[in-house]
């Protein structure tokens, strides 16, 4: 039994057409279904999914990143392997194509969980990760064309994925450029294990939204801990999004448990997402439930 859910961010707005993202999300889930059928691990599939989303330029992560107020592209990413509880993250990384691959390298080749800023960039360079080169040619500015996202409004976009593999292992991965018009050095929930990303042997969670609120609620781990305490995944996810809403925040999360149950609550207008059910069905939604 395998299952997967990915998101392309909870910053979706009704006046925007997301047909290209819907096609891309479906193709990605179908490709990852084949990987899972071939026996790939949850961690590998979560990372491969996020690499595809980063490379597409369609979402506010990787190639689609938006710059901060100083014009710099500071990217955040994290991942967690539920079976081993190993985790890796990078924050405010500049100059590299796939922040999620840097997060993986942190997990696999250092005793640390997170590297940030200049140290993260030096590390990515030393590991031979692919540099961006000409930023003007690389970045597509996804989601920026149709309005101007005033600074301070925490308009946002992100990508993430949760996977259950055939051996019952769970994993989660998340990658972002953060909120539009963020201050230089601002770090959101995405690279913070327990806030933007979590996986243990019961649940995998990837969040998207105004990261400050997901930090203040320890959102991703809180979902898993609620499941451990006996709530269903759906109840747990909804309770956390309701907490965020009560604090004044917006966003959503995707979650998967070890039975393959999926939850995708959000309090924003929409959340781009696609998933593979345990019966092999592929679904895509942006505004619907
Ligand atoms: N949570 C991300 C952040 O605050 C943004 C997003 O998910 O859209 O950096």
């Amino acid at each position: 039994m395998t299952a997967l859910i990915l998101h392309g961010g909870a910053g979706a707005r009704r006046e925007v057409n997301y047909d290209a993202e819907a096609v891309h999300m479906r193709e990605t889930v179908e490709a990852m279904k084949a990987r899972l059928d071939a026996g790939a691990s949850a961690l590998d599939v979560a990372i491969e999914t996020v690499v595809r989303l980063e490379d597409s330029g369609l979402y506010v992560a990787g190639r689609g990143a938006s710059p901060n107020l100083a014009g710099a592209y500071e990217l955040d990413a994290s991942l967690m392997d539920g079976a081993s509880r190993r985790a890796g993250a990078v924050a405010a990384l500049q100059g590299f194509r796939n922040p999620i691959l840097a997060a993986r390298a942190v997990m696999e080749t250092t005793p640390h969980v997170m590297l940030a800023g200049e140290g993260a960039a030096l590390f990515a360079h030393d590991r031979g990760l692919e540099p961006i080169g000409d930023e003007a040619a690389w970045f597509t500015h996804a989601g920026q064309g149709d309005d101007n996202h005033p600074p301070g409004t925490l308009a946002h976009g992100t990508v993430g994925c949760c996977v259950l593999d055939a051996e019952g292992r769970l994993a989660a991965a998340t990658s972002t450029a953060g909120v539009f018009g963020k201050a230089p050095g601002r770090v959101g929930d995405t690279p913070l294990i327990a806030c933007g990303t979590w996986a243990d042997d019961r649940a995998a969670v990837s969040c998207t939204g105004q990261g400050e609120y997901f930090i203040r609620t320890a959102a991703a781990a809180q979902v898993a801990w609620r499941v451990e305490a006996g709530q269903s995944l759906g109840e747990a996810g909804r309770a956390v999004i309701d907490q965020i809403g009560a604090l004044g925040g917006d966003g959503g999360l995707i979650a998967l448990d070890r039975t393959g149950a999926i939850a995708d609550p959000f309090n924003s207008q929409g959340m781009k997402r696609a998933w593979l059910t345990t019966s092999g069905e592929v679904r895509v939604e942006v505004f619907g439930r």
Side-chain angles (χ1 to χ4, degrees):
M1 180 177 71
T2 62
L4 177 152
I5 181 163
L6 65 80
H7 71 75
R13 287 167 301 111
R14 289 198 184 280
E15 62 272 25
V16 180
N17 181 308
Y18 294 106
D19 287 352
E21 288 85 343
V23 168
H24 183 257
M25 291 190 293
R26 178 176 292 280
E27 285 172 0
T28 300
V29 174
E30 280 165 357
M32 293 302 110
K33 177 179 186 305
R35 293 281 292 127
L36 286 165
D37 289 347
S41 73
L43 183 66
D44 283 346
V45 172
I47 292 167
E48 286 171 32
T49 300
V50 168
V51 165
R52 278 175 171 258
L53 297 167
E54 287 177 341
D55 283 348
S56 71
L58 291 170
Y59 318 90
V60 189
R63 193 163 189 202
S66 55
N68 66 19
L69 283 177
Y73 293 85
E74 294 187 331
L75 307 190
D76 302 329
S78 68
L79 52 90
M80 190 164 185
D81 178 45
S84 65
R85 292 256 196 136
R86 293 202 307 158
V90 288
L93 173 68
Q94 291 190 50
F96 291 85
R97 291 189 174 199
N98 294 110
I100 199 66
L101 296 181
R104 175 174 215 162
V106 172
M107 178 179 83
E108 290 181 342
T109 68
T110 81
H112 309 305
V113 168
M114 184 194 290
L115 295 177
E118 202 179 325
L122 286 170
F123 169 81
H125 173 77
D126 288 349
R127 290 295 175 282
L129 295 179
E130 201 173 347
I132 284 169
D134 179 0
E135 285 191 341
W138 174 249
F139 288 114
T140 61
H141 306 133
Q144 300 242 86
D146 34 24
D147 70 4
N148 57 9
H149 299 298
T153 56
L154 300 183
H156 52 82
T158 285
V159 303
C161 182
C162 302
V163 185
L164 172 70
D165 69 24
E167 292 185 28
R169 295 171 298 200
L170 289 157
T174 315
S175 179
T176 194
V179 292
F180 291 99
K182 66 183 183 181
R186 180 266 188 188
V187 172
D189 61 315
T190 300
L192 301 182
I193 296 301
C195 300
T197 302
W198 183 261
D200 58 24
D201 55 355
R202 287 191 167 78
V205 185
S206 170
C207 299
T208 168
Q210 297 171 322
E212 284 70 8
Y213 296 90
F214 288 76
I215 295 170
R216 291 164 58 196
T217 52
Q222 195 192 147
V223 172
W225 293 336
R226 283 174 176 272
V227 169
E228 189 174 355
Q231 286 190 346
S232 72
L233 192 73
E235 288 167 345
R238 178 40 63 189
V240 171
I241 293 301
D242 286 349
Q243 259 180 31
I244 285 164
L247 292 174
D250 89 59
L253 60 86
I254 56 170
L256 193 56
D257 74 13
R258 61 185 172 193
T259 71
I262 279 168
D264 57 355
F266 55 93
N267 68 2
S268 46
Q269 287 184 20
M271 179 167 71
K272 288 162 259 174
R273 61 208 192 280
W275 63 97
L276 168 70
T277 67
T278 53
S279 51
E281 188 194 357
V282 176
R283 296 278 312 274
V284 180
E285 288 284 356
V286 177
F287 298 107
R289 297 280 175 182

